[in-house]
Amino acid sequence: MTPIITAFERSPDGGKGLARDMRVRWALEEVGQPYDVRLVSFREMKEPEHRARHPFGQIPTYEEGDLVLFESGAIVLHVAERRAGLLPDDPNARARAIAWMFAALGTVEPPILERATAVIAERDKPWTKERLPLVDDRIRVRLGDLSAHLGGADWLDGGFSAGDLLMVHALLRLGASGLLDEYPNLAAYVARAQARPAYQRAFEAQRAVFTGESPRS
Amino acid sequence: MTPIITAFERSPDGGKGLARDMRVRWALEEVGQPYDVRLVSFREMKEPEHRARHPFGQIPTYEEGDLVLFESGAIVLHVAERRAGLLPDDPNARARAIAWMFAALGTVEPPILERATAVIAERDKPWTKERLPLVDDRIRVRLGDLSAHLGGADWLDGGFSAGDLLMVHALLRLGASGLLDEYPNLAAYVARAQARPAYQRAFEAQRAVFTGESPRS
């Protein structure tokens, strides 16, 4: 049965791959699982039909037979548990890869999201110019620790895993801030992930929605 | 083999159970798994010995034989996968419970942490008084959706699960803000969880560290 995911009808980032459906698309590409996409408008996301899939009215969701899932991290973990390619077989290494998934979403991403909120939702507030450097310093604490852990390795713990997938996607949101460039090994880590064929297929698929090269399903 | 977790030698909350070792203690109590505790000072947390356990120099960590884990969400999931009591047996219900774990840490907790940062790290900043209501409104968006989903149910999806455990602990940080009281079913949900014997045992264990009623291991 082909799973169905949801994605923005019009992505706020203009197809840069920053929306969270990119994480699920990438994971599905890594394990070789075909999928269908249901596009939802901002209005549809907040209506009962979509809220039955996602209590917080967001994307992505994942439907597979009777199973309906929300939260990109949970969907990536579900995909990783069902097909090989995103979690190691060794039980201890598997547990550590899952720890990196939680670290990406619970430790590294929150200050990055706080920055996004500051530059979008609080853009016009009088304090944002003075406050942003404080937020950036909180991001640097995380990036410094992550850079020290990664060192000269290719991935966070052995081979590429779902932990790397979520970490890289969280780091991508730093975009034009320049913060990532302060940590050359992290910038190289992100570029290494983006060079993966599965990333590129997922990126093109989400971009096609924006450019209109793919029909709305 | 008895697992060892780490916790603050001196908890910044004075034993109110808001530190993240509480999540792991609670999970271990729910499944009936005895554990040992290694207390670490703020200085020790940033030293190489502890960073080998936790790349971001935080607590909690979890050691069990050769396995060393960090991130409270990952540790709770590991505990839940090893012993019955925190995840349903049905595969779809299990996947949904894990989705609620990620929702707690990735969707509900971030604005709550942003509030904590505002009232602690940015307490003396001239903008905080005017900015705090904006942060509170972002929290209300999440609480409103969560309250609508919960409705009159006892738990988020069927029986009590690791998803409820992490959600309740994230909500507890709202503490004296009064925000939780705006959603009576959420306040009752948190109280229901706190009444669980496993919660109470975990709470007393972490409080004993602060009151000095328990020897440092």
Side-chain angles (χ1 to χ4, degrees):
Chain A
M1 182 174 315
T2 305
I4 303 167
I5 70 168
T6 52
F8 288 129
E9 187 179 52
R10 293 178 192 277
S11 178
D13 73 351
K16 289 186 188 137
L18 301 181
R20 286 179 175 77
D21 61 291
M22 177 64 194
R23 298 171 178 179
V24 175
R25 292 175 186 271
W26 186 6
L28 290 164
E29 292 287 354
E30 289 282 355
V31 304
Q33 168 67 60
Y35 61 98
D36 289 328
V37 181
R38 180 185 294 121
L39 300 179
V40 291
S41 68
F42 290 112
R43 184 179 53 74
E44 287 166 342
M45 281 169 58
K46 304 302 178 186
E47 289 178 351
E49 183 184 338
H50 188 69
R51 281 196 189 269
R53 294 180 205 118
H54 196 312
F56 299 95
Q58 299 180 316
I59 61 97
T61 58
Y62 179 96
E63 293 157 77
E64 187 185 11
D66 292 337
L67 176 64
V68 183
L69 276 184
F70 68 111
E71 284 289 328
S72 58
I75 297 169
V76 169
L77 180 56
H78 175 77
V79 169
E81 286 182 329
R82 297 284 288 267
R83 299 185 74 143
L86 285 168
L87 287 175
D89 292 330
D90 173 71
N92 285 3
R94 178 183 177 280
R96 290 197 305 272
I98 293 173
W100 281 108
M101 296 178 68
F102 280 97
L105 303 181
T107 296
V108 174
E109 189 172 44
I112 295 174
L113 290 178
E114 202 175 339
R115 187 181 205 283
T117 301
V119 300
I120 298 169
E122 299 184 15
R123 182 184 57 233
D124 299 329
K125 299 297 176 188
W127 56 74
T128 294
K129 188 179 171 191
E130 192 182 340
R131 187 174 166 267
L132 206 51
L134 303 182
V135 178
D136 284 352
D137 280 345
R138 294 200 281 269
I139 296 173
R140 286 188 181 98
V141 172
R142 300 302 191 217
L143 296 185
D145 288 347
L146 187 65
S147 174
H149 170 83
L150 183 64
D154 279 355
W155 308 113
L156 291 168
D157 191 334
F160 179 84
S161 80
D164 294 296
L165 187 156
L166 294 179
M167 187 66 78
V168 165
H169 197 260
L171 295 175
L172 280 170
R173 272 182 194 253
L174 288 170
S177 72
L179 285 165
L180 201 58
D181 298 326
E182 297 177 18
Y183 305 87
N185 67 334
L186 295 184
Y189 167 65
V190 168
R192 190 176 301 126
Q194 289 179 299
R196 294 177 71 84
Y199 176 93
Q200 296 189 358
R201 287 193 298 272
F203 184 85
E204 289 308 321
Q206 63 80 36
R207 201 175 69 95
V209 174
F210 184 75
T211 58
E213 288 157 20
S214 128
R216 171 163 176 159
S217 65
Chain B
M1 182 175 314
T2 305
I4 303 167
I5 68 168
T6 51
F8 288 129
E9 186 178 54
R10 293 177 191 277
S11 176
D13 73 351
K16 289 185 188 139
L18 302 181
R20 287 181 175 74
D21 61 293
M22 179 64 194
R23 299 172 178 180
V24 176
R25 292 176 186 270
W26 186 6
L28 291 164
E29 291 287 353
E30 289 283 354
V31 303
Q33 169 68 59
Y35 62 99
D36 290 328
V37 182
R38 180 186 294 120
L39 300 178
V40 290
S41 68
F42 291 111
R43 183 179 51 75
E44 287 166 342
M45 283 168 58
K46 304 303 177 186
E47 289 178 350
E49 183 184 339
H50 188 69
R51 281 197 189 268
R53 294 181 205 117
H54 196 313
F56 298 95
Q58 299 179 319
I59 62 97
T61 59
Y62 179 94
E63 293 157 77
E64 186 184 11
D66 291 338
L67 176 64
V68 183
L69 277 184
F70 68 110
E71 284 288 329
S72 57
I75 298 169
V76 169
L77 180 56
H78 176 76
V79 169
E81 285 182 330
R82 296 284 288 266
R83 298 185 74 144
L86 284 169
L87 287 175
D89 291 332
D90 173 72
N92 285 3
R94 178 183 177 279
R96 291 196 306 271
I98 292 173
W100 281 109
M101 296 177 67
F102 280 97
L105 303 181
T107 297
V108 174
E109 189 171 44
I112 296 174
L113 289 179
E114 201 174 340
R115 188 181 205 282
T117 301
V119 300
I120 298 170
E122 298 183 14
R123 182 184 57 233
D124 300 329
K125 299 298 176 189
W127 56 74
T128 294
K129 190 181 169 187
E130 192 181 338
R131 185 173 168 269
L132 205 52
L134 303 182
V135 178
D136 284 352
D137 281 345
R138 294 200 282 268
I139 296 173
R140 285 187 182 98
V141 171
R142 300 303 191 216
L143 296 185
D145 288 346
L146 187 66
S147 174
H149 171 83
L150 183 65
D154 279 356
W155 309 112
L156 292 168
D157 191 333
F160 178 85
S161 80
D164 294 295
L165 187 155
L166 293 179
M167 186 67 77
V168 165
H169 197 260
L171 296 175
L172 280 170
R173 272 183 194 254
L174 288 169
S177 73
L179 286 165
L180 201 57
D181 299 325
E182 297 177 18
Y183 306 86
N185 69 335
L186 294 184
Y189 166 66
V190 169
R192 190 176 302 123
Q194 289 180 298
R196 294 176 70 84
Y199 176 93
Q200 297 189 358
R201 288 193 297 272
F203 184 85
E204 290 308 320
Q206 62 80 36
R207 202 175 67 94
V209 174
F210 184 74
T211 59
E213 287 157 20
S214 125
R216 172 163 176 159
S217 63

